[in-house]
Amino acid sequence: MNTTELRQKDVAGIKEEIKALQKAHFGLRMQKATQQLGNTGTLSATRRAIARAKTILAEKQAAK
């Protein structure tokens, strides 16, 4: 998800996005542990997406 798309969401929407990203990251970690993950770059991409969403969430909460 793009930063502009995240910034358009409200706080609840961003929290839902973070939950979905964390669930996807967990699934990728399990695939890596069982040697089923082909592209390991997706792990770092989801980790960055989670950090990006958390940063935007913190900015929105600090603005209130």
Side-chain angles (χ1 to χ4, degrees), residues 14-46:
I14 295 173
K15 286 182 180 180
E16 289 295 321
E17 184 68 26
I18 291 171
K19 277 187 182 182
L21 286 168
Q22 287 175 335
K23 189 172 185 177
H25 186 68
F26 179 77
L28 290 171
R29 285 192 347 242
M30 292 301 111
Q31 285 180 7
K32 184 181 179 206
T34 58
Q35 304 291 321
Q36 295 176 350
L37 185 63
N39 185 4
T40 56
T42 55
L43 280 170
S44 61
T46 55

Side-chain angles (χ1 to χ4, degrees), residues 2-11 14 56 60:
N2 231 347
T3 56
T4 56
E5 294 170 356
L6 278 174
R7 290 186 193 281
Q8 291 173 354
K9 289 188 173 191
D10 59 340
V11 173
I14 295 173
I56 292 172
K60 284 191 177 263

